[in-house]
Amino acid sequence: MALQRIKDLWRSLEPRGQLSIVGCGLLVLVTFYFLYSYAGQPNYSTLATGVDPAQTGQMTKALDAAGISYRVANGGTQIEVRDSQSAQARIALAEKGLTGGGQVGFEIFNKVSMGATAFQQKIDYQRALEGEIDRAIQQIQGISSANVQLVLPEDTLFVDQGSTASAGVLLTSTSPLDATTVSGIAHLVAASVKGLDVAKVTITDQQGALLWPNANAAGGVNASTKLAADQLYSAELASSINAMLISTLGPGKAQARVHADLNVDQTTIDKTTYSKKGTPLQTQLTQEKLKSSGGAPVVPAGTATNTSPTYPAGGSATSTSNYTNQSGNTVFGVDKTVQKTTVAPGTVNRLDVALLVDSSVPAATVAGLKKSVASMAGVIPKRGDTLAVSTMAFAKQPTSTTAAGSPIAGIMANPLGLAKYVLLGLATLIFLFMMRRGLKRRENEGVAPEPTWLREIERSVAVAELEAAPVRLHTLDPASARRAALKAEAEEIAEKQPEQIAVQVSAWLKE
């Protein structure tokens, strides 16, 4: 029944209306096709850049064997794969030994030619060593690509006649590199090559600026290094103070600025310390004893009595004597401590802190903040440090329409993906609007064109009268003749177009 009504509706339309419906349908289908094709296009990410065109064919064959979609750009020096297949592509290239972009590593020796000369093997070893160092450097965060050129020394009979190894490194980074990272890269290259001194490593960036060697490489400090150290220390200290102020007063109530003067000179202190109390190392003890019994003095033989010495009369013939002599010698040692200390640079020579507070903050709160900031910054007046506090009216902060971290920011992070869905939604709304507009227009129109004889009937006619024998037109009055003509026309239409009559009658019944 529904299909029949659609057929009748289609037949009742004029050719112009039929063409309009067909054109709108085709336009909607074409729009949906292009939107679906645009939304279904995969996103590609760069897999390798700076690839040697001679090696691009090997990498594409490996990707084809793994069933990974790719495309080649920049004249065959860049390979891009789908985001969802990036990890699989790296694994496929690693299995074939084609990692590291256009650089080859020690996998070059997997296929050794028996006819290779010593010179060819030396060149292959140098290429492999450069490729391995390239891969190691590219794993550092912030390094997009690296190119290492090595100069290896020649073996000579005499050491003083030989050359020294050197290296040149060209870095391409996505962000500026700090001095610590550059120093680490220089030491990495020096440690990877036999006999290479870190002072013989030259590092430049993509703009040709010399990154290594610098003043720090020779153990010295220049003005730029001191300025960078002062700014870094000042920024870190100011950030900590401002965080405390925001958590205490709220945003836009106070602001702190710090200027630090650091001592970046590296010094060495040698210190020798002796103990105040000695420790006995060696002790020597000597003891002597003498013992005698009593008796009269003995006169030497042949000596007259009057020439003999006179002894005291108190002596007793029976007295005894004991003699004891004891002496000792002790050698003491003093403890000695030798201390060598290297003082790292970074001692604060002077610290100047400026604190600005909004006038809406009470004076008691400002006094408390002054003490807190002085303690937090480590202000020492004896060292010459200063802390200046100023109170003034701050400018009104502009009100932001969208807060940071709102869902809008997350959606706008990928505007291309959002545009796909917006266009698809607009196309759907336009299609539904056009369909609704067409249906509303068809509702206001009749299902079939109203016959002329129906519009010309002036009075109601009974069915029996219509079924009666036709009346001759010449015997009737003009009104009767007209009705007879309408009847004849209606009979003719009923015979030739019964379907339209049935549709019209059905519409009347529904009304």
Side-chain angles (χ1 to χ4, degrees), residues 154-238:
E154 297 286 344
D155 295 334
T156 57
L157 182 61
F158 300 99
V159 178
D160 55 351
Q161 296 180 359
S163 59
T164 58
S166 61
V169 182
L170 176 62
L171 299 179
T172 302
S173 58
T174 57
S175 59
L177 301 176
D178 55 5
T180 305
T181 304
V182 175
S183 177
I185 294 175
H187 286 79
L188 173 64
V189 176
S192 302
V193 181
K194 180 181 179 180
L196 178 58
D197 187 15
V198 69
K200 296 293 183 179
V201 179
T202 302
I203 302 178
T204 57
D205 59 4
Q206 65 269 24
Q207 298 177 354
L210 181 64
L211 304 179
W212 186 272
N214 50 24
N216 292 332
V221 178
N222 53 14
S224 61
T225 305
K226 184 181 185 308
L227 180 61
D230 292 345
Q231 292 177 351
L232 180 60
Y233 183 83
S234 301
E236 292 291 338
L237 186 56

Side-chain angles (χ1 to χ4, degrees), residues 69-81:
S69 301
Y70 66 90
R71 62 185 183 186
V72 181
N74 293 337
T77 60
Q78 180 175 336
I79 298 179
E80 300 176 353
V81 297

Side-chain angles (χ1 to χ4, degrees), residues 354-370:
L355 179 61
L356 300 177
V357 184
D358 190 13
S359 57
S360 60
V361 180
T365 305
V366 175
L369 286 177
K370 182 177 180 180

Side-chain angles (χ1 to χ4, degrees), residues 41-124:
Q41 289 181 356
N43 295 326
Y44 284 82
S45 61
T46 303
L47 178 64
T49 58
V51 182
D52 187 2
Q55 195 181 8
T56 304
Q58 300 178 6
M59 301 179 71
T60 54
K61 288 181 181 179
L63 296 177
D64 288 332
I68 298 174
S69 301
Y70 66 90
R71 62 185 183 186
V72 181
N74 293 337
T77 60
Q78 180 175 336
I79 298 179
E80 300 176 353
V81 297
R82 292 185 179 182
D83 291 339
S84 58
Q85 297 179 334
S86 178
Q88 299 177 1
R90 296 183 186 278
I91 295 174
L93 295 181
E95 291 178 351
K96 300 295 183 179
L98 298 174
T99 56
Q103 298 292 340
V104 294
F106 284 107
E107 65 273 3
I108 195 174
F109 293 104
N110 293 340
K111 297 180 181 180
V112 181
S113 177
M114 299 299 295
T117 61
F119 178 76
Q120 292 176 345
Q121 292 181 356
K122 181 179 179 181
I123 296 300
D124 290 343

Side-chain angles (χ1 to χ4, degrees), residues 376-410:
M376 186 174 182
V379 176
I380 303 176
K382 295 181 179 180
R383 190 175 56 189
D385 300 348
T386 59
L387 174 59
V389 181
S390 301
T391 302
M392 61 184 64
F394 282 14
K396 299 297 182 181
Q397 297 293 333
T399 58
S400 58
T401 56
T402 57
S406 63
I408 297 178

Side-chain angles (χ1 to χ4, degrees), residues 233 237 258-263 346-353 374-386:
Y233 183 83
L237 186 56
V258 178
H259 176 266
D261 181 15
L262 302 181
N263 183 8
T347 305
V348 178
N349 293 333
R350 181 174 176 177
L351 198 64
D352 299 320
V353 182
S375 177
M376 186 174 182
V379 176
I380 303 176
K382 295 181 179 180
R383 190 175 56 189
D385 300 348
T386 59

